[in-house]
Amino acid sequence: MAGLRRILHSLWISLFFLCLSSTAEDSVTQWPLHNDGYNKVVEWDHYSFQIDTQRIFVFSGEFHYWRIPVPDLWRDILEKVKAAGFTAFSFYSNWAYHAPNNETLDFSTGAHDITPLFELAKELGLYIIVRPGPYINAETTAGGFPLWLTTGDYGSLRNNDTRYTNAWKPYFTEMSKITSRYQVTDGENAICYQIENEYGDQWISTTDKTPNETAISYMELLEENARQNGIRIPLTSNDPNMNSHSWGSDFSNEGGNVDIAGVDSYPSCWTCDLSVCDSTNGAYVAYQVVDYYDYFQDYQPTLPEFMPEFQGGSYNPWGGPEGGCPDDTGADFANLFYRWNIGQRVTAMSLYMIFGGTNWGGIAAPVTASSYDYSSPISEDRSIGSKYYETKLLALFTRSAKDLTMTDLIGNGTQYTDNSAVRAYELRNPSTNAGFYATFHVNTSSGTNEAFHLKVDTSAGSLTVPSHGGVLRLNGHQSKIVVTDFTFGSAKLLYSTAEVLTFSILDGVPTLALWVPTGESGEFNIHGAKKGSIKSCQGCSKVKFIKEHGGLTATFTQSYGMSVLEIDGIRVLLLDRTYAYEFWAPALTTILVQGPYLVRGASLSGSKLAVTGDIVNSTTLEIFAPKAVKSVTWNGKEISTRQTEYGSLKGSLSSSKSITLPKLTSWKSKDSLPERFADYDDSGIAWVDADHMTTLNPRTPTTLPVLYADEYGFHNGIRLWRGYFNGSASAVNLNVQGGTAFGWTAWLNGEHLGSFYGNDSAEQASLTLPFTNVTVHTTKSNVLLVVHDDTGHDETTGALNPRGILDATLTDSTGFTHWRLAGTAGGESNLDPVRGVYNEDGLYGERVGWHLPGYKESSWTSVKGSALSVSGATVGFFRTTVSLDLPSDHDISISFVLGTPSSSALTYRAQLFVNGYQYGRFNPYIGNQVEFPVPPGVLDYSGENTIAVAVWAQSKEGGSISVDWKVNYAAGSSLNTRQINEASLRPVWTEKRLKYV
Ligand code: IPT
């Protein structure tokens, strides 16, 4: 099979080069249109993806359902994605999330059921790029591998080892089968299927093209599995940073090639910790764009310029800064870098991430903290701001600029401008002659304010624009795309120096929305037009109409707001940036809306228009709709509107309710570390003997028994080890490994011995702890308790790095007699299938379910004062319940705020549980994150909520934590978060928990 493919491939390559040698004129028709041989619905060529013969600009964003485990909120995210003008979204599924052990696959419980993603995609009209792994990276523990896979029993992973193959098959088969029910070939929305992730391993040497047969065989196994299980859409890949040249059929004639290879790129660093990206980047101002066009020409000239991941932000590392680094990749970044890609002729890109979400429980890899906000266009708390709006300006444009999906790069340089600091990239559609001039500072890291004029080629000849006194400007880290011969309905812009936002055809007549940065001028010419007038001037000045070039040129300056011109019956809206931010073109209708914070959707039935969206502050609402519309509802309520003289409908919307949350009081507490005492009974089912004398883990144990936690089925978070020894000993040396920002503490016979507090770089720490100040029993057994946490397994080849005790040696002793180990209650049995494998660690309180709603804490000690305090080195568990009664018809977002009172030591580690979900890891000694957004659904906005906090004081000074909460935003909304309260997502405590003492 692979052999035949290779022969066919060489034949095809020869044909391709024959075509290339033909003349430029017939290049349009000669470029091959491909499909994957399994369907004719999704096709592609070097211009773009094509679906049902329609070319599309794939503007997509990545989001991880498993980072927001409330299916009802997926609608919120996807409505926001759609409203921003995107045509697609992309998601990684996470093998570990669905496979608590090697026998179980859960695609049905709560958020483990992914079918709503596909159904929402269809309802909202978004294509889907499915990325099932089996390895995904994603700053998730072990890169998405189930942690039972990390012991060494399955080999070194990501190859064709049968042990590994047998492990991934059930999961990958299920993902393929599920996806196969939702393919665009059957009228559903999945358009491509990514094999593996950044697996750039096709070559042993790229230079002399020495194939890596093992990697090829692995890719072929995955591809065959996908095809056998019904995948008919193209298979894709993502090359890390343009280095590996793997799996693309233009460069490679080896096996394992996918249908459409793509490239991932993070020009401004994928983490807020810029030191990681030293060699390529620096501070924001030093960021450089990358020449993708040449790359695609060189390595995949017959495939579309496809970026399965383009930087949407950067992840939040443990070392901070607090809140991530939104300024590094903010609105300016979105403006400049996404336009840059268009100038490079990219026609398919997916922003990683469009919504980052939360690393709740133990989902994260060590590199990232509880927050996975990623400085994304949609924030972790689901709010939207300037970056979202800026991205929307461009996405709406790409959705309406159909000609952009088929362009050739004609040229680039400063010769297009009269300012040597500004260059342009000229793209041209060979069949319509539409032109797109993407303009940039020559030094793309420069933020100067440059004025210039641009030389453009139009159907009316070569022009230099603007030509009536105005200028084009790049003010700061900005770019602009100037269009020529841009068709909107039956009309045509000869050119426009103001950017096109979108357009709509209402009652057969186009309404065109143009925008300029606040205070700038614009000039455009409408082909064939004769007469223009100002219908409404809000912030406009210097409006002039000039008959020329066989049409009408209009010039204007827009200081603030929205002005309306009428040119031969065509309505032209001129918006400044602020008004453009709040301008919406809800798809599936033709209406345009200005005013609200968010417009999620609209539907038209006869004379009734129903619009849905969100309001924070009171605002005017202006709607451009067909004349037939006689009544308008906003989130189901009729609003009164008046008709403006230029035919729009105007109304007003009042602000959202202000919300006050009840205080978090009435805390109760109990010690959660009985295991430190020698007489604690560890014979229960929560505990196993750690007695392996050999391991398949590639790290050879230096002391025995093997104390790698994953060997014994405990994979997540905090584990407790009890080492027994008899007779005297003077010290212990322990070398513990748990990933960046981890920590550990040891006690002997109930007395604190010492701790490793951790920092944002150490993954492992060895300490020798003398027994000078503790009692060593000479006549009875001594028990050493070691508690360590685990910030996740490392990614890529580090997935097998063990978690646990690497070496344990007693000084002046005959050594340990045996070890017992406890971790997540039930180990791999998945005691809590709803919250899933990542949620719980192994603390006593977690094992017996103190974090769960419904546990009765009445016998616990009441906490006095507002701080939750632990005295001495131990673990304290705290619980309270609080009822919420929040308004309906609102989308309300809440964060918990954790702090350390100034009187307290910082050397503690805390976990926050909200209705049983572990929604925050707070390590004040290391970390920076103090705000922890918790979504509705995890919280119940119309009932009782159980809040629990575990405080592990690592030093004798103990520790105190303050716990508060706050409203991030409350928006009057069609999303009624009060109703997102499905009790099945918050299973309650049962007595069976008591077995795990
Ligand atoms: C790229 C991964 O594909 C993705 O899963 C995620 O880890 C992202 O990086 C960073 O957030 S890998 C790329 C940085 C080389």
Side-chain angles (χ1 to χ4, degrees), residues 646-813:
Y646 49 90
S648 68
L649 298 169
K650 260 190 176 174
S652 61
L653 298 168
S654 45
S655 60
S656 58
K657 291 187 178 147
S658 80
I659 313 290
T660 315
L661 296 176
K663 288 259 165 293
L664 298 174
T665 55
S666 311
W667 292 92
K668 299 248 185 178
S669 81
K670 194 172 168 86
D671 185 83
S672 173
L673 198 68
E675 302 93 339
R676 67 190 185 282
F677 299 110
D679 60 358
Y680 167 81
D681 178 3
D682 63 18
S683 64
I685 62 161
W687 293 83
V688 300
D689 275 326
D691 56 1
H692 297 182
M693 299 307 276
T694 58
T695 178
L696 288 174
N697 191 286
R699 182 193 178 269
T700 311
T702 30
T703 60
L704 289 171
V706 182
L707 301 178
Y708 304 164
D710 293 280
E711 300 245 330
Y712 303 100
F714 297 119
H715 303 300
N716 214 47
I718 299 173
R719 280 79 149 206
L720 293 86
W721 302 85
R722 300 184 91 229
Y724 288 77
F725 65 92
N726 296 321
S728 59
S730 62
V732 65
N733 173 266
L734 295 166
N735 184 12
V736 186
Q737 180 161 284
T740 332
F742 90 115
W744 60 270
T745 302
W747 289 261
L748 183 70
N749 300 325
E751 291 179 281
H752 179 239
L753 262 185
S755 285
F756 174 69
Y757 299 135
N759 58 55
D760 62 15
S761 62
E763 301 181 355
Q764 180 193 122
S766 171
L767 295 178
T768 299
L769 306 170
F771 293 162
T772 24
N773 296 319
V774 292
T775 313
V776 182
H777 304 306
T778 46
T779 52
K780 56 177 184 179
S781 230
N782 293 288
V783 182
L784 175 80
L785 172 71
V786 183
V787 175
H788 72 83
D789 68 359
D790 169 348
T791 52
H793 272 260
D794 300 317
E795 295 170 290
T796 63
T797 50
L800 268 55
N801 294 342
R803 295 297 181 242
I805 303 177
L806 301 182
D807 314 298
T809 318
L810 289 164
T811 313
D812 304 323
S813 160

Side-chain angles (χ1 to χ4, degrees), residues 242 290-301 305 344-345 409 412 425:
M242 312 192 294
V290 180
D291 198 333
Y292 303 112
Y293 178 79
D294 285 352
Y295 170 85
F296 284 109
Q297 289 295 302
D298 290 348
Y299 294 100
Q300 47 184 77
E305 294 196 17
Q344 297 285 307
R345 233 186 50 119
L409 177 60
N412 78 85
Y425 281 71

Side-chain angles (χ1 to χ4, degrees), residues 92 136-139 197-198 241 264 266 270 309 352 374:
Y92 282 136
I136 58 171
N137 211 58
E139 291 75 69
N197 185 74
E198 296 204 320
N241 288 324
D264 290 356
Y266 292 77
W270 47 88
E309 289 176 33
Y352 188 101
Y374 218 93

Side-chain angles (χ1 to χ4, degrees), residues 315-332:
Y315 65 72
N316 304 54
W318 277 105
E322 150 72 7
C325 49
D327 296 340
D328 287 3
T329 56
D332 282 352

